[in-house]
Amino acid sequence: MARAPFSLVVTTLNNAGTLERCLASAAFADEIVVLDSGSTDATRDIAARHGARVVVEPFKGYALQKQSAIDKAAHAWVLLLDADEALAGGARDAIERALEQPAVAGFRLPRRERVFWRFNRRGVRLNTHLRLIDRTRVRMNDVPVHAAPETREPTATLADAEFLHYGEPDIHTKVAKINAYSTGLVEHKRGKRRRFLALRLVVYPGFFFLRQYVGKRWFLDGWAGFINAVSAAYYVFLKYAKLYEATRRREP
């Protein structure tokens, strides 16, 4: 049975170091769309070499940029990857089968993270992300820095369609991202009522550490998993600390 055609959609900015791997991993896509926001390295040359349709637009924010890229796809079904991500072995077969008779609005794919010097071991509970979508029924949300596709319609998980994330090669990069992301979320969270903010600030980081390190079995990643769990708890702490700081600044 023939599968539904799909477009691979990627947004880029100076991603020459990872884009080749990303595009090669999904070369079976019926179309490749790369929306670039002004790269000065070889990003666009790499995309063109893989037969991508390259469009250049100024960066409008994470959600708007990705939605703009999705809207440019020729096909209803879209595989959305970041330039520092790539499909793992076996993902192609799972995607091909899923698109033969798709009865849902999208499919969630498990993401295996590079944790500093290693990838997650087998046995770690991976997060799943909605990345293979029917763009006529799925839209990007408006959450700053963590923008993601959302739908109220049914979705399914493709357990065999893992993809790899190469985004945080060292602790320095992780900490810099934590600081930037936690600041980026402050205005978004200020617009929503947050009860017991001080209690969250004290209690939630420790709970989050245990949830990740024990509940999601990050301990299987050894010291990399421990450092990652501490970093994740620190990220949670910073989000609430910066939000608390913002509320205090409004006081006389």
Side-chain angles (χ1 to χ4, degrees), residues 68-90:
S68 180
I70 291 168
D71 291 341
K72 290 173 173 53
H75 303 295
W77 280 93
V78 165
L79 174 63
L80 184 64
L81 290 179
D82 289 341
D84 60 359
E85 298 171 339
L87 293 178

Side-chain angles (χ1 to χ4, degrees), residues 13-27:
L13 174 63
N14 293 331
N15 296 116
T18 59
L19 185 62
E20 184 90 41
R21 178 173 50 216
C22 172
L23 300 184
S25 75

